[in-house]
Amino acid sequence: MADTHIEADIAIIGGGGAGIAAAIEAGDDGAKITLIEQAETLGGTAAISGGGCLIVGTPLQESQGIHDTPDLAFEDWVKWGQGAADEQWARFYIDHSLHDLYFWAEKLGAKWMDLKFQEGNRVFRWHRPQNNGLGLMTALINAAKSKGTTRIMTGTAAEKILTENGRVCGVRATNGKSGETTEIHSRTLIVATGGFNSNLDMVLEARPEFKAFKVMEGSGRGATGWGHKLIRELGGYFTHMNHIWFYVYATPDYRDPQARRGLVFRLTPGYIWVNQQGRRFHDESRTGGASATPALLAQNPPHAWAILDTPMTAKMEVADPYYRDGDKVRRDKVQELLDNSPYIRKADTLSELAKKIEVDVSTFLSEVERYNKAFDAGLEREPAFGKSLKQSKKFDTPPYYAIQLFPLARKNFGGVKTDLRCRVLDKYFEPIPGLYAAGEVAGMAGGHINGKAGLEGTMLGPSIFSGRVAGGWAAHEAGFGPGFVGKPNRPG
Ligand SMILES: Cc1cc2nc3c(=O)[nH]c(=O)nc-3n(C[C@H](O)[C@H](O)[C@H](O)COP(=O)(O)OP(=O)(O)OC[C@H]3O[C@@H](n4cnc5c(N)ncnc54)[C@H](O)[C@@H]3O)c2cc1C
């Protein structure tokens, strides 16, 4: 017996990108919602994310002379996904991204600031909101709260999905502090619990080949795969679970007692990477999951050392709240990391550094010398991998640093299969009555919207969008509104 019982039209598990969007949408339709979030605050991984969303045909693009169309974006998307993207969901998202994400979020108070190029796209379409993921999520959370249609219970984790006569009818949850249990009885339920990349056991289950090597957890703290477990118990069909988007510019967080979590420091201008044989193996300016990741995974063992001299460390940015003060990097904390991490070595000479990281000294020295010579010769690109030297410099200022890099599981491109209404499907591809899923638990949307690789901005965008779709249809099934309608960006 639960301590408390709550009646709602819709229950939502998870208060991140998808869950909050679902609450806004269902609230607009007049439904009464109860949303539970295990963390003490709302926002999930979405709030610590870069906030970038792939959006097509926007005024921001036009203002920079970029003419983009859904057809062009769809071609890039499908090609980049290497045949594994859910094309129907990809098209659905791309077509709706202008009106149902860009303008919609703007209306709720978000502001789209600038565009960034991302690998695989023929044009700039990665839109960054003001104050990144936190800015976007703050606007959405405020909107959800101001409607007054959603009862929000933070610090409350879902434990079991309730069913009656083969239909989902709510969820049982426990408050982490008081231990009090609550049963929320609802007509429909949306699972929006995010991915599983902060659960190393699940990562290794999906990718057993990594059991022999070190890989790290790299999603938000709440991305533990709990929602996957709840849906699996009801017979939901999971697909493309081995499609995990790994990044390779991360070093273990030595402050994490188990060193399971990774700290990301992407693209430090000038640094080079060497493998355990002391050789460079890649153009380090190409850091994407479809370029750098396969290059690192092809090394034996699949890890590397990032080599920096002292001025380069001044440009190092660690993507973790401990190392940042809002948009600003905390240099004192970065130096603390450089001085204290057992995964970072420091030396006054390059040969000393090579010995400390146990690579072949002469191979390592000749790699650095070849790189340095490119500057002496005034080259625009270094000859080995064609890396542009525009932002880079010679290795000439000790102390030198070597930072150990291991693959980091960042984003789940596979998850529970849903239809275009976000209804969870079973192994016969039939909806489980009353059950919806959106966001990363559903591989960002539908099960596998990205495929094997993502164009970037294709995680948060589809998570928020599918949240809206789930909210609309869950409300409809509960007796409110017409279902998600939206407005596709089509000619005529
Ligand atoms: C550092 C980082 C940067 C990123 N940057 C980008 C980017 O710039 N662009 C992009 O497209 N993608 C980015 N992503 C990915 C993107 O943030 C996620 O894919 C997206 O937030 C997923 O949204 P979601 O709502 O499904 O999950 P989340 O935002 O993670 O929300 C899920 C919520 O569910 C809660 N929850 C889980 N289990 C339970 C339970 N049992 N009971 C109650 N609550 C529960 C969690 O605590 C969490 O708050 C980034 C990811 C990371 C880690």
Side-chain angles (χ1 to χ4, degrees):
M1 255 313 262
D3 300 315
T4 320
H5 289 257
I6 292 173
E7 297 293 327
D9 299 316
I10 302 172
I12 299 176
I13 313 174
I20 294 293
I24 295 171
E25 190 71 19
D28 282 346
D29 287 330
K32 290 273 170 271
I33 302 133
T34 295
L35 181 149
I36 57 172
E37 165 55 55
Q38 65 179 2
E40 290 301 328
T41 51
L42 296 173
T45 307
I48 60 155
S49 77
C53 294
L54 178 142
I55 311 180
V56 181
T58 66
L60 190 56
Q61 285 178 311
E62 292 291 340
S63 73
Q64 298 188 17
I66 298 162
H67 182 61
D68 195 12
T69 65
D71 285 350
L72 194 71
F74 181 71
E75 271 180 31
D76 287 353
W77 188 303
V78 170
K79 188 170 169 208
W80 203 241
Q82 300 163 41
D86 179 328
E87 296 175 7
Q88 227 183 337
W89 259 103
R91 186 83 222 192
F92 187 29
Y93 169 69
I94 290 168
D95 281 4
H96 282 264
S97 64
L98 175 64
H99 294 285
D100 296 318
L101 180 56
Y102 186 94
F103 290 132
W104 175 79
E106 235 177 25
K107 237 188 266 162
L108 298 177
K111 196 165 174 205
W112 300 104
M113 299 302 285
D114 39 52
L115 295 166
K116 197 169 144 191
F117 180 74
Q118 298 285 1
E119 288 174 16
N121 293 278
R122 276 174 289 177
V123 299
F124 285 47
R125 39 174 92 99
W126 192 89
H127 290 66
R128 188 184 67 83
Q130 189 169 41
N131 208 10
N132 304 342
L134 182 61
L136 178 57
M137 284 310 296
T138 302
L140 301 194
I141 290 165
N142 288 342
K145 284 183 176 166
S146 70
K147 284 186 192 304
T149 45
T150 303
R151 172 186 199 143
I152 293 170
M153 298 171 70
T154 52
T156 305
E159 278 177 354
K160 194 172 172 48
I161 295 176
L162 306 173
T163 56
E164 201 172 67
N165 303 326
R167 234 197 108 75
V168 167
C169 64
V171 57
R172 192 169 67 226
T174 301
N175 183 288
K177 274 192 191 143
S178 66
E180 192 180 318
T181 54
T182 304
E183 274 190 9
I184 300 152
H185 294 272
S186 59
R187 293 185 218 179
T188 50
L189 171 75
I190 301 171
V191 180
T193 45
F196 62 81
N197 283 329
S198 291
N199 180 337
L200 194 56
D201 297 333
M202 274 184 83
V203 171
L204 295 177
E205 191 188 320
R207 295 293 292 269
E209 73 273 25
F210 283 121
K211 283 184 182 160
F213 304 106
K214 185 168 180 65
V215 292
M216 296 179 295
E217 295 174 348
S219 188
R221 302 261 170 192
T224 58
W226 193 256
H228 296 70
K229 182 176 165 285
L230 298 179
I231 294 174
R232 211 184 281 278
E233 282 168 4
L234 293 190
Y237 177 73
F238 284 83
T239 187
H240 294 70
M241 291 289 276
N242 59 338
H243 290 174
I244 295 177
W245 197 228
F246 281 96
Y247 288 146
V248 293
Y249 35 78
T251 191
D253 182 356
Y254 74 102
R255 297 171 62 248
D256 166 16
Q258 295 177 304
R260 281 164 80 119
R261 292 194 66 79
L263 294 172
V264 164
F265 63 109
R266 191 172 192 167
L267 194 56
T268 305
Y271 71 176
I272 58 169
W273 300 345
V274 297
N275 61 17
Q276 201 52 54
Q277 290 72 47
R279 285 204 176 82
R280 282 182 70 216
F281 55 90
H282 183 62
D283 165 0
E284 297 86 356
S285 69
R286 297 178 61 228
T287 57
S291 56
T293 304
L296 181 103
L297 296 185
Q299 307 309 306
N300 186 16
H303 68 226
W305 294 92
I307 311 297
L308 293 84
D309 76 354
T310 292
M312 292 177 197
T313 63
K315 303 224 166 106
M316 193 174 150
E317 296 196 4
V318 183
D320 182 276
Y322 182 76
Y323 296 92
R324 308 189 75 87
D325 206 352
D327 275 357
K328 274 220 212 104
V329 180
R330 290 204 51 181
R331 289 279 143 230
D332 55 333
K333 298 287 185 201
V334 173
Q335 195 57 47
E336 180 186 290
L337 170 72
L338 290 168
D339 291 340
N340 292 299
S341 169
Y343 300 94
I344 299 178
R345 310 284 152 78
K346 177 178 168 182
D348 285 331
T349 66
L350 287 163
S351 53
E352 195 60 28
L353 191 69
K355 281 183 211 142
K356 285 191 172 173
I357 62 175
E358 297 173 22
V359 298
D360 183 74
V361 177
S362 64
T363 308
F364 176 75
L365 290 180
S366 60
E367 285 286 359
V368 179
E369 197 187 334
R370 186 159 58 144
Y371 187 77
N372 273 352
K373 274 190 179 155
F375 291 92
D376 297 337
L379 301 181
E380 279 185 12
R381 292 178 178 275
E382 54 78 31
F385 296 96
K387 174 179 153 185
S388 165
L389 297 177
K390 244 188 218 147
Q391 314 270 329
S392 305
K393 67 177 287 298
K394 266 175 98 159
F395 284 87
D396 55 10
T397 313
Y400 299 104
Y401 293 88
I403 305 175
Q404 199 162 22
L405 307 177
F406 296 97
L408 172 105
R410 193 65 143 179
K411 296 158 185 174
N412 290 114
F413 283 175
V416 70
K417 179 96 185 132
T418 76
D419 63 10
L420 289 178
R421 295 183 176 193
C422 292
R423 291 183 296 185
V424 171
L425 303 181
D426 65 14
K427 66 180 176 183
Y428 305 111
F429 296 92
E430 284 168 8
I432 296 175
L435 186 61
Y436 292 74
E440 200 161 341
V441 69
M444 310 301 174
H448 59 111
I449 187 170
N450 279 281
K452 286 191 184 159
L455 291 169
E456 297 296 349
T458 54
M459 302 96 194
L460 186 59
S463 290
I464 292 174
F465 174 68
S466 62
R468 286 196 65 192
V469 174
W473 287 109
H476 179 72
E477 194 180 337
F480 301 87
F484 177 79
V485 180
K487 184 173 171 190
N489 176 15
R490 300 215 176 117

